[in-house]
Amino acid sequence: MTYDLEPNWKPGGGVIVTWYGIDKNGRVAIFLNNRWGNLPSCLLSMKGAEDSLDSISEYLYEESGKHKPICEDKKGDYKLDMFPSWRGPKDINSLKAHHDRIFLENRLSSDANLVANKGLFIYQAVEGNEPKEDYPVGYEGDTEMGDYYRYMVPTIYGGIEDFPQELRKGIAVSDSLDFTVDRLIPNKNINEHFKKMFG
């Protein structure tokens, strides 16, 4: 996929960018910017950023012709933390049942597989056609467009050691965040939390 990532890149347009981050404890999360979330400057300044992100995605979805699938499935479970208001008046249990059905129908293409079996957290950015149209259900405070909220949480955590050395360079590093604690990451603070790429 073409993101046209470079130092002057700005969110917007029709392309959703998926990027990856590691917290201070070595746990890895998938971030979906939903066209609104900022990307870390360290990622945008990285040579070959698009290729690195594509390679990580292929690896996680077990579509890589170069890297063997991520280590043996962790056989954990997952919970939903927050979800976008545009999904309508669903509750957490019905939404989880929806993800469970997709998981059973096609394991490799499901978000639940990435969380339960790969041990990854998933964060999504607040989106919408205008400010305040969307917000994360389950969060008490105010949010802005592009703020990243914790969507899915694994019960067994994966880590950077699950990734081949070559792919780790495409993961942004935070020395301040703890994905087990930090439920919302303000969009305006992305560069304060992610200052460098792995390695």
Side-chain angles (χ1 to χ4, degrees):
M1 178 169 291
T2 301
Y3 303 134
D4 295 323
L5 300 183
E6 44 85 26
N8 294 320
W9 178 93
K10 301 292 182 188
V15 178
I16 294 175
V17 180
T18 301
W19 57 282
Y20 305 89
I22 180 174
D23 73 4
K24 63 183 181 180
N25 297 307
R27 300 177 183 119
V28 179
I30 300 169
F31 290 85
L32 283 76
N33 91 319
N34 288 335
R35 301 185 303 275
W36 294 102
N38 288 323
L39 305 184
S41 294
C42 56
L43 172 63
L44 294 175
S45 298
M46 175 186 170
K47 184 177 180 180
E50 294 175 48
D51 291 338
S52 288
L53 296 181
D54 287 344
S55 294
I56 294 171
S57 293
E58 289 171 359
Y59 173 65
L60 291 175
Y61 284 99
E62 300 183 21
E63 298 173 345
S64 175
K66 185 174 182 180
H67 300 285
K68 292 182 179 179
I70 199 168
C71 62
E72 185 176 346
D73 283 352
K74 299 186 185 301
K75 297 182 173 64
D77 199 357
Y78 67 97
K79 70 173 186 175
L80 294 175
D81 186 6
M82 297 180 276
F83 60 93
S85 63
W86 58 258
R87 283 191 176 272
K90 290 185 176 181
D91 59 46
I92 287 285
N93 292 330
S94 63
L95 189 55
K96 187 172 188 302
H98 168 74
H99 279 290
D100 288 344
R101 282 193 298 276
I102 296 173
F103 189 18
L104 288 173
E105 291 169 5
N106 190 340
R107 180 183 75 87
L108 290 180
S109 68
S110 71
D111 289 340
N113 177 56
L114 297 175
V115 184
N117 285 327
K118 315 299 186 187
L120 307 176
F121 292 77
I122 296 181
Y123 284 78
Q124 293 194 23
V126 176
E127 55 183 311
N129 294 311
E130 59 187 40
K132 307 301 182 185
E133 180 181 45
D134 184 35
Y135 58 88
V137 175
Y139 187 70
E140 299 298 328
D142 292 331
T143 58
E144 303 291 338
M145 298 277 268
D147 287 352
Y148 288 95
Y149 60 91
R150 196 173 64 183
Y151 180 49
M152 301 178 83
V153 179
T155 58
I156 299 176
Y157 305 134
I160 194 67
E161 67 278 357
D162 293 330
F163 290 76
Q165 194 73 37
E166 180 184 342
L167 298 181
R168 297 178 189 181
K169 65 182 181 182
I171 299 175
V173 177
S174 174
D175 295 325
S176 55
L177 295 173
D178 180 344
F179 297 151
T180 67
V181 175
D182 295 299
R183 301 178 68 217
L184 187 121
I185 305 167
N187 189 35
K188 64 183 180 182
N189 296 340
I190 282 298
N191 286 317
E192 294 176 24
H193 290 298
F194 294 96
K195 297 179 179 180
K196 61 185 179 182
M197 302 304 290
F198 191 88

